[in-house]
């Protein structure tokens, strides 16, 4: 048992000495970061677009959970885009990002401002594209043929 303790003490002392000599060495200098690329060569930063589903409030239905927003929050902070089209298999893209399938949602709540609305088929081909202005509390209708 004494031999075990002597071995452990020797290893501990060697570790402390080795650690002290290793920390006394000069640290290697960090490499300098590359200068930022000019504006024309920088990749485009992805933008987050808030697309809210249109909430339907039914006064005859008792909801088992509280809503995240008060009932008048959507009308005070969002505008709506309603898409009318015969193509039920199209996907809706808002500002380049996928929003939903047209068969599931025909009306979208968006933050006010200008947005690029695009309908694409299942192969990714653009069927319809338009830049629309979304106004708070107003509904903008798009008729995509």
């Amino acid at each position: 048992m004494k031999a075990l303790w002597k071995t452990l003490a020797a290893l501990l002392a060697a570790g402390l000495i080795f650690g002290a000599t290793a920390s006394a060495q000069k640290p290697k200098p960090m490499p300098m970061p590359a200068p930022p690329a000019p504006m024309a060569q920088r990749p485009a930063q992805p933008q987050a677009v808030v697309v809210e589903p249109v909430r339907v409030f039914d006064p005859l239905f008792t909801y088992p959970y509280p809503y995240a927003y008060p009932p008048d929050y959507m009308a005070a902070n969002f505008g709506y885009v309603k898409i009318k089209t015969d193509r039920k298999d199209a996907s809706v893209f808002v500002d380049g990002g996928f929003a939903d399938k047209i068969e599931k949602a025909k009306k979208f709540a968006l933050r006010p401002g200008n947005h690029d609305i695009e309908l694409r088929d299942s192969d990714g081909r653009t069927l319809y594209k338009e830049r629309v202005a979304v106004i708070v509390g107003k509904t903008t209708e798009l008729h995509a043929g």
Side-chain angles (χ1 to χ4, degrees), residues 36-84:
M39 275 307 251
Q41 295 176 358
R42 287 187 187 173
Q45 295 291 332
Q47 292 181 347
V49 177
V50 178
V51 179
E52 290 285 331
V54 177
R55 289 178 171 67
V56 177
F57 295 98
D58 187 0
L60 302 177
F61 181 74
T62 57
Y63 296 100
Y65 53 89
Y67 282 107
Y69 302 117
D72 60 344
Y73 178 83
M74 294 295 285
N77 295 302
F78 287 89
Y80 298 99
V81 174
K82 186 174 184 178
I83 302 172
K84 293 186 176 182

